[in-house]
Structures are given as structure tokens and as C-alpha cells.
Amino acid sequence: MRSSFFCLAILVAGCNGTSAPSLELTTGVEVDIDGCPFTVTTPNETTAPVKDDGAVGAAPDPRNLHLAYVGDPKSTISVTWATDVGTRGTVLEWGADTSYGHKTKGFWFAYPADMQGNDPPSVGMHQVHLCGLAAGTTYHYRVGTGAHMSADATFTTAPGDGRAVRILVAGDSRGNTSTWAAVMQAGAAEAPDMMRFTGDANDRGDVQDEWEAWFAAGKGILEHLPLMTVHGNHELNSRHYYSQFPMPGNQQWYSFDFGAAHFTALNDTPPPSDPTSITSKQAPFLDGDLAATQQPWKLVTHHRTEYTSSTGHPPADDLQKAWESILDTHHVDMVLDGHAHAYERSKPLVAGQPVADGAGPVFIVEGGGGADPYEVSPLAFTAVAQKIFGYVILDITQHKLTLTAKALDGSVIDTYSINK
């Protein structure tokens, strides 16, 4: 179903900006974004989207505010927040300073918070997408409607001149919000430009209260640091996950460039309605995507890891069979995973066998975001493995990729560099 988005037929009465929309759930509606070269499709089991109509409900103050890139990170930003279901006012004020000077309206949709989706929709989601921004530029912004605007925050677009970028990598917080908050604080202190999350934010991705706690633990950081996620098995392909995290493409597998790196994301726990997509859809996508990029560095991110020495999860041999030859063919530099609750770095591998530095992808496990850590028992492919909470920093230039893994106290667990 596609909508031009200015007025949806399911409005109870007309298009006068005051009518309450139907709360009937849809199978997804494609939305044209004014001034942007991409569209956004709302998730299944959500209401149809409605353009900002200024409506204010019982709890209109924005919460769970965070940033992502649905379009090119050099020139776009996507801003998402939640309110009660009755607040449909969706406005982003932005500019070079706190006088803002620009106002862009977005769209609202809602979803049921219960696991089964039988209750009336109770979570209102708001999205605004900006395009045509200047590369490497910091903007001030605030969101909301009327008198209910968020505090001032900033975002910075990706550089367009080849300068170095810094990426924060973390994952597997799994409902341990105190440790997750510590990971976010320590990681943010490293001044990253963007964050990659390797999946499993909560124990159950279909429990809204867990999401509320997860966002609360990142408050003060997620308003400034763009967050690009991959789906983990504990996200459960839930409407809650897909509603709160707009990502490029179909949200499950996608790619984008950031600095000198090309990032490809995959979903290694596809929904029951599409059980063969790992081989039937994602493998061809991965092959074509990696073949097309001209970026110096190629990094792939998903959740379950092909190589781990963790005693909690075995290596994912189904993913080895489906994707490993593609990674080898296209000379992928690094694969960023989670699932095993530890930090691990493999030796460079081709067809599962150790090779020289730079001759094969290195598999990184960063699952130290809060879930109970797993014991590790190093295997032949293991370079480093440690049972620990922490995070990874990637520093990327045109000719060098440097990984630094750190514990929460700032101590260095591991360092590794690749030169080109």
C-alpha cells in the first residue's frame, strides 16, 4: 500500500487536520518523504501514518528521542521519538544554532504495546527525515509540538572529505540497564561519530517497558549520537523493534557508507514468514552490495557470529555456509557480531582457516553490553577472547582501520590495525 501521505483515506472525517485517525492496524504503508530521495514504510501491525496535525494528547512530551540514517549520512538525518497515542503533532525545529530557523513536519503512527497486539495502540511514534544537509556539519534541533518541545540537542552529519571517523560498537545489553548505561557513558566519552549496535537490546523485544528502560539508560547520548542497529534474536522481529528503529531499505538488511567505510547489515534471525531469506534473499543482496561498493573498507554487521569460542553459543555454521564465501570473494575486512556475551577477535580467516593479516575477514564479537557474560575457551581461529563487559572503538581513515576494545573502566582489552 502506498500513500502520498498528505491525507489518508482512513481518517474518520476529511483532511482538516483535526480529525482523529482510525487505529486500525495495517500491513505497512509506504510514505514519500518531501525533499528526500527515499521512502519509508511503516511496520506491519501499526496504524497508517498521519502527517503532523498538531494534535496534543495526554502525555505529549517527547521521550526516547534518537537519531539514525535512513539516507546518506553525509546529507541526511532521521529523528525518531515517542509520545502517547493521542499526540500526533510531529515537528522538528533545526538550524545552525538555537535560534533554529527551520521547521520540518513529519509523520505519526502508533502500535499496540502488548506482546500479541490485541490491545488498542498505545505507543505513538514520530519520525522526521531531513535531506539536503551539508556534510560534516553540526546542527541544533528540538522536536515535539506546540509548547511540548524537547530540550536543545545537536547532531553532526558524516564528513564528505575523507577525514577520519570514529565508530562505537556495542551490543547484547539484554535488559541490564545499569550496565548498558555504563557502556553508553564510557563509549560516548570516546567522542564517536556514529554507533553500531549488534543486537539484543532487551530480553524480550515485544515488551515495551523494557524498551522504555533501554532508552532511558541512553538518555543524554542517543539524542546526539546516530544509532544504526541490526536485529538480534531477542528482538523477536517485533513491531516494537521495527517501529522504533527506522533503518534504510527494509530495515532487516541494508547498507550505507560512512567515512571511508561501507557497512552492510543483515538479519540472521528472519521472521517466520520469511524463514529462508538468509540464503534466498540476503545472500544475493550481500553479494551484489559488496560487489558494487568502491569504499576502501568493507564491514558487515549482524547478530549471531560465525566464529566464537564462547561456551554459551556455538559458531553459527548455517551462516558460515550461507555467507562466508561471499565475504571471502569480496575481501570483507571485518565482521561485527554479538550474541556471544563476551569480547572476541578471530584471526583473519578464509574458508574458516587462519591467513595472514589483511588476507581475510576478522570476526569481532562485541556482546558485552550487559547480558550475563559467557565463559570463553579459545579455539584454533581465536586471536583474543575475554569474558567481560565493554565496547569497541573503530577509527577509520582512507588507509588504516584501528580497533580498540575497552572494558568499562577504560582499560584496553585489545588493539588491532589493518593497513591498506
Side-chain angles (χ1 to χ4, degrees):
M1 179 179 179
R2 185 177 180 128
S3 169
S4 65
F5 172 60
F6 287 100
C7 175
L8 297 171
I10 62 168
L11 284 175
V12 173
C15 267
N16 59 12
T18 60
S19 301
S22 167
L23 297 183
E24 179 182 354
L25 302 184
T26 73
T27 55
V29 178
E30 187 176 8
V31 179
D32 291 313
I33 307 299
D34 291 343
C36 291
F38 56 82
T39 62
V40 173
T41 300
T42 54
N44 294 341
E45 301 181 297
T46 67
T47 65
V50 175
K51 189 175 183 179
D52 162 71
D53 64 3
V56 175
D61 292 334
R63 69 179 195 273
N64 305 348
L65 175 60
H66 60 287
L67 306 168
Y69 300 113
V70 174
D72 183 348
K74 296 190 300 296
S75 60
T76 73
I77 197 73
S78 298
V79 187
T80 301
W81 69 96
T83 64
D84 70 292
V85 73
T87 298
R88 299 185 301 277
T90 305
V91 174
L92 171 68
E93 297 179 350
W94 60 279
D97 53 39
T98 55
S99 64
Y100 305 114
H102 301 276
K103 182 182 292 187
T104 302
K105 296 182 177 182
F107 65 92
W108 162 100
F109 64 95
Y111 64 90
D114 63 307
M115 293 182 187
Q116 292 78 22
N118 296 326
D119 293 346
S122 58
V123 182
M125 294 305 305
H126 305 258
Q127 288 184 25
V128 182
H129 303 268
L130 299 181
C131 295
L133 302 173
T137 302
T138 297
Y139 295 90
H140 288 258
Y141 78 99
R142 63 180 183 175
V143 305
T145 187
H148 303 279
M149 301 297 289
S150 64
D152 178 68
T154 59
F155 66 83
T156 302
T157 51
D161 57 3
R163 77 182 74 164
V165 295
R166 172 167 283 192
I167 314 299
L168 170 63
V169 182
D172 287 274
S173 40
R174 282 283 300 277
N176 182 347
T177 53
S178 60
T179 300
W180 173 235
V183 169
M184 289 293 288
Q185 291 291 335
E190 306 278 354
D193 301 299
M194 184 265 288
M195 180 177 179
R196 291 296 272 152
F197 188 76
T198 60
D200 279 8
N202 298 305
D203 280 332
R204 290 197 63 94
D206 55 3
V207 175
Q208 186 63 31
D209 285 348
E210 293 193 21
W211 285 112
E212 297 294 330
W214 190 88
F215 280 112
K219 185 174 175 57
I221 298 170
L222 294 175
E223 298 94 327
H224 304 273
L225 180 63
L227 171 67
M228 301 298 286
T229 65
V230 296
H231 177 273
N233 58 302
H234 282 265
E235 268 69 68
L236 301 172
N237 286 287
S238 65
R239 81 190 83 86
H240 309 62
Y241 170 75
Y242 291 117
S243 294
Q244 295 178 108
F245 296 100
M247 292 290 125
N250 68 2
Q251 297 181 267
Q252 295 188 61
W253 52 90
Y254 61 87
S255 66
F256 64 99
D257 293 340
F258 197 91
H262 181 74
F263 289 90
T264 308
L266 302 168
N267 181 6
D268 52 38
T269 314
S273 60
D274 199 10
T276 65
S277 74
I278 287 174
T279 53
S280 64
K281 298 177 182 178
Q282 296 188 63
F285 166 79
L286 180 64
D287 188 31
D289 179 70
L290 294 174
T293 184
Q294 299 299 310
Q295 292 287 86
W297 302 101
K298 301 176 185 179
L299 295 91
V300 173
T301 311
H302 55 91
H303 182 62
R304 294 189 294 125
T305 182
E306 290 96 325
Y307 292 97
T308 175
S309 61
S310 160
T311 59
H313 290 300
D317 57 358
D318 62 322
L319 303 182
Q320 293 176 16
K321 295 172 184 175
W323 297 338
E324 189 168 21
S325 64
I326 301 172
L327 304 177
D328 295 345
T329 296
H330 295 291
H331 308 292
V332 166
D333 300 288
M334 194 168 281
V335 180
L336 306 170
D337 297 323
H339 199 48
H341 307 159
Y343 168 76
E344 299 184 67
R345 172 170 60 86
S346 78
K347 300 170 183 175
L349 302 173
V350 170
Q353 299 302 309
V355 294
D357 284 342
V362 173
F363 293 81
I364 304 298
V365 175
E366 182 40 73
D372 289 342
Y374 291 156
E375 299 291 341
V376 291
S377 180
L379 300 169
F381 55 74
T382 306
V384 178
Q386 192 166 342
K387 172 187 174 182
I388 196 166
F389 293 131
Y391 58 93
V392 161
I393 293 293
L394 300 177
D395 289 302
I396 303 173
T397 70
Q398 291 287 325
H399 301 291
K400 188 172 184 177
L401 187 160
T402 300
L403 174 149
T404 306
K406 290 190 174 183
L408 293 184
D409 63 4
S411 60
V412 174
I413 303 167
D414 182 32
T415 59
Y416 181 75
S417 293
I418 309 171
N419 294 288
K420 287 193 176 181

